[in-house]
Amino acid sequence: MARKDDIFKSFLNHELLTTKYELQDSDIPATVREALNSQNPIIKAIALIVEGLDGTTPVTDKVLRDQVTQFLNEAI
């Protein structure tokens, strides 16, 4: 498993997220790549952040913030 997949899993296994969004282990994709195709907005948003910060071509904070904001605005 890639480092970014481990980081992604650690975010989604946090008690706050599992409680607030009622995430089950079966809901959580195994990789960031799978999570980017998720229908669950919180899963996809976290995947975007992890991919942006730890992907093959990291992006700046401003670009990442704009991507996540745009995604969340469209997902609503």
Side-chain angles (χ1 to χ4, degrees), residues 1-9 30-32 50-51 54:
M1 187 175 289
R3 178 174 177 254
K4 66 182 175 183
D5 296 332
D6 291 335
I7 293 169
F8 171 72
K9 286 273 212 184
T31 65
V32 173
V50 172
E51 181 67 27
D54 200 48

